[in-house]
Amino acid sequence: MNRKRLSIKNLTITLPQGADRKFAVNDVSLDLYANEILCIVGESGSGKSLLSNAIMGLLPDGVTASQGEIDFNGDNLLTYNEEQMRKIRGAHIGMVFQDPMTALNPLKTIGKQISEMFTIHTKLSKQEINQKVISLLTDVQMPNPLSVAKAYPHQLSGGQRQRAMIAMALALEPAILIADEPTTALDVTTQACILALIRELQSRKGTAVLFITHDFGVVADIATRIAVMQQGKLVEQGFANEVLNAPTHPYTQALIAAVPPLTPGDVRRINKEIILEVNNLSKTYHNHSFFKQNRRTTYAVDNVSFKLHRGSTLGIVGESGSGKSTLARCIIKLLEIDSGQINFENVDIARLKGKKLKHYSRHIQMVFQDPYASLNPRRKVGDQVTIGPILHGITKQQAIEKAKALFNMVGLESEALNRYPHEFSGGQRQRIGLARALALEPKILIADEPVSALDVSVQAQVLELLTQLRKQLGLTVLFITHDLRVAAQICDHIIVMKSGKIVEQGIASQVFLNPTAPYTKDLLDAVPGRGWNPHRLIDMSPAIHI
């Protein structure tokens, strides 16, 4: 066995009074070795992120490590003060956070932020530091490192920002790298690049990697060993092959069973009636810079045409920047289009305004990717669900009764109408978003990445709910996602978009099993854990509730 880099012994992390439970982490012991990737998996609230924060000395106010040790090079990090921990962070233990946009300073260039690591921890000259910065950006396969070094975080894509975070974390070649959900919101090709980069750096430098995730596909691709956490407790750990292919704990079995297979289900009989037809739709963005050389036009949606069958689910897949979310916002009239037609039940709604638009807009509703951001934190969720029906003419009491029925339909208690968004979990907030969208009895539901940030078990529940609602209410669904496993399970037809254009479309089984476009093949090849099939190992419904 390689050298032990870190040893967590009987660690307990206590939450403030009034929390849902007393302990965030309860008597957990783990070892991390050089030249390995230890994946910690579990649902939101399992304690995995607070475990990593404890290692870095970054526990929130009121949260304390009340018991145990974190042994690093013979010292207990829990006894270190802030000044001592500053010498450990970055130099000996690096960390890549889940959301690089909030972790990076928006007022400083990428190069400046990376160079600070050397300025604080070394005595290198300014020229040597600049060379190191460019070398690091090259190591993380950043295109045009010189330009990236001069760029600010908002000028980079999500994948590029994550690479910059990895470059910063690895600047001083720490013995340990902690990666907290570093690929959760990334599309499959960018995700594959990030995972390959972490694997390659870990192998080349012998780094010990603590990788926190809820994505078992990612785990299947990179893990040396796996530790499974549930409500603060470590319920199972072992080598990756053992845990993935022969899990012993019921919780691990349930998590793995909830992973959607990449193979589409049986083809449904589809209604031939067309409810929505989009013809030659285009949307461009113009950057009106003062300098001519910086002016550019972005073709977000470029001459897109497709048909949506009544009662079916059409999936739109593609990388970030492919235009899929812009297309959805054009259909729902959140964005004005440049050209084309949006025919809903044989009426072109693209140019409608005022009362005519209001009449048709209730029939096309949207569920957004981030339910917390799309819900007003200052208003009770009941008020947010009832406001639409009230504006469209029914009484407040009727709207409340309708909201209660909708909450029961999506699996929430009617008493929850009187609570605020922050009082719900991510999965519950997504159910509230569904209830709000369904309150106007739409004929088309647009779901924009509705499960991308959810745990696999909660994701399975939301997908099951969408399927039930489609059958129960006769809904037609436009489902936007970068998760091809999810698309395979829920969609009847698939559209593949790249750079604003449709590169392939057809029946889901045809696109997944016999793709014709090279880009579609690349997307499928990049799906994490593609060669691992959990459903041949465990006979358990993927819609299991945990």
Side-chain angles (χ1 to χ4, degrees), residues 121-432:
H121 293 283
T122 74
K123 295 180 179 179
L124 295 175
S125 68
K126 188 173 182 179
Q127 184 179 358
E128 289 173 320
I129 290 174
N130 289 337
Q131 290 174 346
K132 286 274 191 183
V133 169
I134 299 304
S135 176
L136 279 165
L137 291 173
T138 303
D139 280 349
V140 297
Q141 301 167 27
M142 195 75 84
N144 201 344
L146 284 170
S147 296
V148 169
K150 297 175 184 176
Y152 290 88
H154 73 274
Q155 295 175 305
L156 303 181
S157 69
Q160 288 174 327
R161 286 194 292 266
Q162 200 60 282
R163 288 169 196 241
M165 281 287 298
I166 293 172
M168 196 181 307
L170 294 171
L172 301 174
E173 299 190 3
I176 296 171
L177 175 67
I178 299 174
D180 187 5
E181 300 273 14
T183 62
T184 294
L186 302 179
D187 49 65
V188 286
T189 49
T190 306
Q191 186 181 64
C193 290
I194 296 295
L195 295 178
L197 174 63
I198 290 175
R199 266 199 313 265
E200 190 269 332
L201 292 171
Q202 171 262 327
S203 177
R204 179 158 53 87
K205 296 180 181 291
T207 309
V209 178
L210 189 67
F211 196 102
I212 296 167
T213 184
H214 63 251
D215 189 331
F216 267 91
V218 169
V219 172
D221 269 359
I222 68 167
T224 310
R225 290 189 301 123
I226 299 172
V228 183
M229 291 187 68
Q230 179 188 23
Q231 295 186 339
K233 293 185 176 182
L234 186 64
V235 297
E236 184 166 359
Q237 63 175 311
F239 287 104
N241 187 55
E242 297 169 356
V243 176
L244 289 173
N245 297 325
T248 58
H249 195 278
Y251 178 71
T252 311
Q253 294 171 351
L255 284 179
I256 292 175
V259 178
L262 192 55
T263 306
D266 295 333
V267 178
R268 293 193 310 131
R269 293 188 65 181
I270 302 299
N271 192 328
K272 292 184 178 180
E273 183 184 353
I274 304 300
I275 188 172
L276 182 77
E277 184 173 0
V278 173
N279 294 318
N280 308 115
L281 191 149
S282 292
K283 174 66 180 176
T284 56
Y285 294 108
H286 303 281
N287 177 19
H288 299 290
S289 173
F290 180 78
F291 302 101
K292 282 188 177 181
Q293 63 270 27
N294 292 335
R295 295 175 188 170
R296 66 179 185 273
T297 298
T298 301
Y299 296 92
V301 179
D302 190 359
N303 200 34
V304 164
S305 299
F306 66 88
K307 295 177 182 180
L308 179 58
H309 294 258
R310 188 181 295 276
S312 70
T313 299
L314 171 64
I316 303 179
V317 303
E319 298 172 290
S320 297
S322 62
K324 52 191 190 295
S325 290
T326 301
L327 175 60
R329 280 161 170 74
C330 288
I331 293 170
I332 204 171
K333 297 285 287 178
L334 286 176
L335 293 172
E336 290 295 329
I337 67 173
D338 298 328
S339 61
Q341 294 178 315
I342 304 171
N343 292 320
F344 171 71
E345 294 187 329
N346 298 317
V347 175
D348 183 6
I349 63 173
R351 311 298 172 191
L352 293 183
K353 296 184 184 298
K355 290 183 179 180
K356 289 184 177 179
L357 176 61
K358 181 181 177 182
H359 171 74
Y360 282 99
S361 64
R362 68 175 298 170
H363 297 304
I364 306 176
Q365 292 294 305
M366 192 164 184
V367 180
F368 296 91
Q369 178 174 357
D370 185 349
Y372 193 68
S374 65
L375 292 169
N376 187 333
R378 298 182 179 181
R379 298 192 66 183
K380 293 178 180 178
V381 296
D383 294 336
Q384 299 185 59
V385 173
T386 57
I387 187 171
I390 290 172
L391 288 174
H392 279 271
I394 72 172
T395 67
K396 184 175 181 179
Q397 188 56 43
Q398 287 173 321
I400 290 172
E401 293 303 316
K402 190 173 196 176
K404 287 180 179 179
L406 284 168
F407 266 46
N408 290 328
M409 187 183 295
V410 299
L412 293 171
E413 298 292 333
S414 56
E415 290 77 13
L417 289 166
N418 295 315
R419 291 157 60 188
Y420 291 90
H422 73 273
E423 298 179 84
F424 298 90
S425 69
Q428 288 173 325
R429 284 195 290 264
Q430 200 57 284
R431 290 169 186 264
I432 293 166

Side-chain angles (χ1 to χ4, degrees), residues 27-65:
D27 197 27
V28 166
S29 296
L30 274 176
D31 293 323
L32 179 64
Y33 295 89
N35 201 31
E36 78 161 351
I37 299 179
L38 171 62
C39 284
I40 300 182
V41 298
E43 296 172 288
S44 297
S46 63
K48 54 191 189 297
S49 289
L50 280 179
L51 179 70
S52 68
N53 288 342
I55 296 170
M56 297 295 289
L58 297 173
L59 287 175
D61 292 339
V63 180
T64 57

Side-chain angles (χ1 to χ4, degrees), residues 260 451 458-468 479 486 490:
V451 296
V458 180
Q459 182 185 83
Q461 293 168 24
V462 173
L463 293 177
E464 170 93 355
L465 176 61
L466 272 173
T467 302
Q468 290 174 355
F479 194 92
V486 168
I490 200 167

